[in-house]
Amino acid sequence: MKYFAGIDLGGTFIKGGIVNEEGEILIKDKIPTGKERPYPEIAKDMADLVLDLARRANISREEIEAAGVGSPGTIDSKNGVIVYTNNIDWKKVPLAQEIRKHLGIPVFVTNDANAAALGESFAGAAKKYDSSVFITLGTGVGGGIVLNKKLFEGYRSAGAEIGHMVIRLNGEKCTCGRKGCFEAYASATALIRQTQKAMEKDPSSALWTICPKLEDVNGKTAFDGMRAGDKTAEKVVRGYITYLAEGIANLANIFRPNAVVLGGGVCAEGDNLLIPLKKKVNRLLYGGAKYAPVEIVVAQLGNDAGLVGAARFAWQNL
Amino acid sequence: MKYFAGIDLGGTFIKGGIVNEEGEILIKDKIPTGKERPYPEIAKDMADLVLDLARRANISREEIEAAGVGSPGTIDSKNGVIVYTNNIDWKKVPLAQEIRKHLGIPVFVTNDANAAALGESFAGAAKKYDSSVFITLGTGVGGGIVLNKKLFEGYRSAGAEIGHMVIRLNGEKCTCGRKGCFEAYASATALIRQTQKAMEKDPSSALWTICPKLEDVNGKTAFDGMRAGDKTAEKVVRGYITYLAEGIANLANIFRPNAVVLGGGVCAEGDNLLIPLKKKVNRLLYGGAKYAPVEIVVAQLGNDAGLVGAARFAWQNL
């Protein structure tokens, strides 16, 4: 059995794990990032975490073939360099090289959303599919593309920015500077804004009973309102699912993957989200859904997707 | 030197050529399709055309390694089957198998836009780029995706439908049934409609001097009007370029290719189209254009792109 180390670098925590060639996590743990420190210190902590995990799992350093890191930001994965990330204040950090100094094994770095996409493909919801598009609905809309079981990153790893595909010209302002991006309509942030707007327009909505303060609205509020029978809430949910479906259909027409994997808190809504979503997407697929169906599935690995995918990324690039 | 046969199947003509491994056409010719005939007759004509071309080029049948066909419609390229095409009234036609009967060499079939994309990558405008997105602006918006010099077709070859990516939710009706597709804004057909609408709104526009009859408007009319100093025409052109730029930026953010190759009559406008287009696209690229620039180039092979790409497709799948 081969072993790989997977690291998920976040602004608050560094999560690490030892993953075997079946995608199983043998052991995992997390340590604080301490992101204000110089990067060599953080890199050393990442290496130490891997060594510590290996020791606790009774695996020698030599048995670990390679380590992978999923990092926020723009990553030059060919050279293992963090080009830029604003979660941690880094610019042109040669992270792979720095970790390798301490670990003595090959180290590879990719973007965190890419790592999660690969993780789900390797050992999660897209395990049985050759090609999958991973879409995570959070503060923004992140994603990753897996084609023939391998990560597709684009030139200098700058591709797969699926949240920054305009679906409504001159629409909602996006953080990227464009107007009308998929992210500005389908992120959890967008759903919250859509819910708040609807509440402001309808003071009689039951949404005000569920959530008396506008600033407390979250991605669940509109779904709760719909379940309580509120028409305004239902309209918000229907609108949100339409945005999501249109964006997914765009990606499906472009990639025609075997599956689209959805991640993010809103997926907890289960069938309330999935049944209408699948129906809408199927109607929007070019040439119909029958000839080349696209499954829509919910991510399975949760917070582990990143480290499992990072380990897989290291394996594939070895 | 290796030789391959390339065939571009159209509703009116079958174009064929013998292509060498550098992508040069040794000889080419065309024959009428006669699309109302049974498919075995058409397939036999395609084989005969290849044999005739080989004879005229003094190449023996044995020297031709394989033949490729670019065909309109939905193609199951894995099995060489035309699933469906409405240009020719075909459904589930085992074209590769039928041609092979007569030629005795391996035959491969892909979609015509895909073939053109591969042709430009092999021997045309995208020759020096690893990855390119080909966009042809005609009656519709067709396209093909080349990643690491190979065609990306998606599950059952149903991907790369880049014209059917919604850029304006609830916008112009598209032939595919959706509303607001890239095709409905950036095709030559769309540009003509945009020009006609602007003329109807502005009876004093110089466009009426350039083209007194609405039904004679073509993809050049608005550009001609702009060159004549007409404000309404200039506005049409500016609007069209914005639509095109937004769609290209979407694809660039998703694929981050080295280059986008544009085909179609409107490219004859040259710098009047390209200079503002490049400027707009660069502004819309996620993370800016500096780190991972995306070139915008005009297709070079014209009507030969399909047969050159079909030959290349055969070679790559051999």
Side-chain angles (χ1 to χ4, degrees):
Chain A
M1 187 66 86
K2 285 177 179 173
Y3 302 104
F4 303 88
I7 300 168
D8 184 3
L9 173 63
T12 314
F13 287 106
I14 296 164
K15 293 173 204 148
I18 307 289
V19 177
N20 69 16
E21 57 187 306
E22 322 240 270
E24 293 159 345
I25 301 173
L26 273 71
I27 187 169
K28 63 176 179 173
D29 208 347
K30 64 179 181 177
I31 55 172
T33 305
K35 67 176 181 178
E36 60 295 335
R37 297 177 301 156
Y39 80 82
E41 283 184 31
I42 298 175
K44 178 153 195 315
D45 279 1
M46 292 163 89
D48 286 345
L49 173 62
V50 170
L51 294 173
D52 179 50
L53 288 168
R55 205 165 343 173
R56 284 155 61 192
N58 277 318
I59 290 167
S60 73
R61 184 200 293 227
E62 291 69 36
E63 280 178 283
I64 301 177
E65 313 262 336
V69 181
S71 162
T74 302
I75 316 299
D76 174 359
S77 69
K78 206 173 146 192
N79 298 299
V81 171
I82 315 292
V83 178
Y84 169 77
T85 171
N86 63 354
N87 290 42
I88 308 167
D89 188 18
W90 281 359
K91 254 182 203 167
K92 292 195 190 164
V93 166
L95 188 65
Q97 188 189 312
E98 193 66 29
I99 299 174
R100 185 171 187 157
K101 273 188 200 168
H102 305 287
L103 270 186
I105 56 172
V107 180
F108 301 90
V109 186
T110 187
N111 170 273
D112 49 6
N114 282 350
L118 191 59
E120 290 292 343
S121 172
F122 180 36
K127 197 172 174 176
K128 64 175 178 177
Y129 303 112
D130 276 345
S131 299
S132 50
V133 172
F134 175 73
I135 306 175
T136 166
L137 310 164
T139 312
V141 171
I145 314 290
V146 178
L147 305 177
N148 296 317
K149 285 292 177 193
K150 296 199 82 175
L151 205 52
F152 169 75
E153 297 187 291
Y155 178 43
R156 299 195 78 186
S157 315
E161 288 296 348
I162 59 173
H164 303 289
M165 157 181 76
V166 161
I167 61 167
R168 177 173 265 167
L169 267 173
N170 300 318
E172 295 276 353
K173 237 187 128 125
C174 182
T175 53
C176 76
R178 291 179 80 181
K179 278 181 185 169
C181 284
F182 186 32
E183 168 162 315
Y185 288 91
S187 61
T189 315
L191 173 56
I192 291 168
R193 192 178 52 238
Q194 290 152 19
T195 309
Q196 289 168 331
K197 272 194 183 171
M199 287 170 73
E200 280 174 334
K201 262 192 169 170
D202 179 10
S204 72
S205 164
L207 284 165
W208 288 107
T209 319
I210 291 161
C211 183
K213 282 184 188 164
L214 264 192
E215 63 267 34
D216 292 338
V217 168
N218 62 32
K220 213 170 149 276
T221 311
F223 282 91
D224 285 342
M226 184 181 71
R227 274 183 289 266
D230 184 65
K231 289 287 166 207
T232 295
E234 198 195 316
K235 217 175 139 190
V236 171
V237 169
R238 217 185 308 130
Y240 176 75
I241 291 175
T242 299
Y243 298 137
L244 191 53
E246 293 278 352
I248 290 174
N250 279 1
L251 294 165
N253 286 347
I254 291 168
F255 287 105
R256 204 63 168 212
N258 303 106
V260 168
V261 180
L262 291 181
V266 74
C267 295
E269 300 300 335
D271 283 349
N272 280 327
L273 173 75
L274 289 172
I275 290 174
L277 181 65
K278 285 177 184 178
K279 219 165 147 185
K280 280 185 197 235
V281 170
N282 280 342
R283 268 200 303 249
L284 301 174
L285 289 178
Y286 187 74
K290 213 175 156 191
Y291 169 67
V294 178
E295 304 295 329
I296 298 180
V297 295
V298 170
Q300 285 173 357
L301 301 183
N303 290 330
D304 292 337
L307 71 88
V308 171
R312 176 65 172 160
F313 186 73
W315 187 10
Q316 285 191 332
N317 284 277
L318 201 56
Chain B
M1 185 68 83
K2 285 179 180 171
Y3 301 104
F4 303 88
I7 300 168
D8 184 2
L9 173 63
T12 314
F13 288 106
I14 296 164
K15 293 173 204 149
I18 308 291
V19 177
N20 69 16
E21 58 188 307
E22 324 242 89
E24 292 159 345
I25 301 173
L26 273 70
I27 187 170
K28 62 174 180 176
D29 208 346
K30 63 179 181 180
I31 54 171
T33 306
K35 66 176 183 180
E36 59 295 336
R37 298 177 299 156
Y39 79 82
E41 284 184 31
I42 299 175
K44 177 149 194 318
D45 279 1
M46 292 164 89
D48 286 344
L49 175 61
V50 169
L51 294 173
D52 179 49
L53 289 168
R55 207 165 350 186
R56 285 156 60 192
N58 277 317
I59 291 166
S60 72
R61 184 198 293 228
E62 290 70 37
E63 280 177 284
I64 301 176
E65 312 263 335
V69 181
S71 162
T74 303
I75 317 299
D76 174 359
S77 68
K78 207 173 147 193
N79 298 300
V81 171
I82 316 290
V83 178
Y84 169 78
T85 170
N86 62 354
N87 290 41
I88 309 167
D89 188 19
W90 281 359
K91 254 182 201 164
K92 291 194 190 164
V93 166
L95 189 64
Q97 189 189 311
E98 192 65 27
I99 299 174
R100 186 172 187 156
K101 272 189 201 166
H102 306 286
L103 271 185
I105 55 174
V107 179
F108 302 91
V109 186
T110 185
N111 170 273
D112 49 4
N114 282 351
L118 191 59
E120 291 290 343
S121 172
F122 180 35
K127 197 172 174 177
K128 64 175 179 178
Y129 303 112
D130 277 345
S131 298
S132 50
V133 172
F134 175 73
I135 306 176
T136 166
L137 310 165
T139 311
V141 170
I145 313 291
V146 178
L147 305 177
N148 297 317
K149 285 292 177 193
K150 298 199 84 176
L151 206 51
F152 169 75
E153 296 186 293
Y155 178 42
R156 298 195 79 188
S157 315
E161 289 296 348
I162 59 172
H164 302 289
M165 156 181 78
V166 162
I167 62 167
R168 176 172 267 165
L169 267 174
N170 300 318
E172 295 277 354
K173 236 186 130 138
C174 183
T175 53
C176 77
R178 291 178 79 181
K179 278 181 185 171
C181 283
F182 186 31
E183 169 163 314
Y185 288 91
S187 61
T189 315
L191 173 56
I192 291 168
R193 192 178 52 238
Q194 289 152 18
T195 309
Q196 289 167 331
K197 273 194 182 170
M199 286 169 74
E200 280 174 333
K201 262 190 168 173
D202 179 9
S204 72
S205 165
L207 284 165
W208 287 107
T209 319
I210 291 161
C211 183
K213 282 184 187 162
L214 263 193
E215 62 268 32
D216 292 339
V217 168
N218 62 31
K220 213 171 147 274
T221 311
F223 283 91
D224 285 342
M226 184 180 72
R227 275 184 287 266
D230 184 65
K231 290 286 166 211
T232 295
E234 198 195 314
K235 218 175 138 190
V236 172
V237 169
R238 218 186 306 130
Y240 176 74
I241 292 175
T242 299
Y243 298 138
L244 191 52
E246 292 279 352
I248 290 174
N250 279 2
L251 294 165
N253 286 347
I254 291 168
F255 287 105
R256 205 62 169 214
N258 302 106
V260 169
V261 181
L262 291 182
V266 74
C267 295
E269 301 299 336
D271 283 350
N272 281 327
L273 173 74
L274 289 173
I275 291 173
L277 181 65
K278 286 177 185 179
K279 219 166 147 185
K280 279 185 199 234
V281 170
N282 280 342
R283 268 200 303 252
L284 301 173
L285 289 178
Y286 187 75
K290 215 174 155 190
Y291 169 67
V294 178
E295 305 295 330
I296 299 181
V297 294
V298 170
Q300 286 174 357
L301 302 183
N303 289 330
D304 292 338
L307 72 88
V308 170
R312 176 64 171 162
F313 186 74
W315 187 9
Q316 285 191 334
N317 283 279
L318 202 56

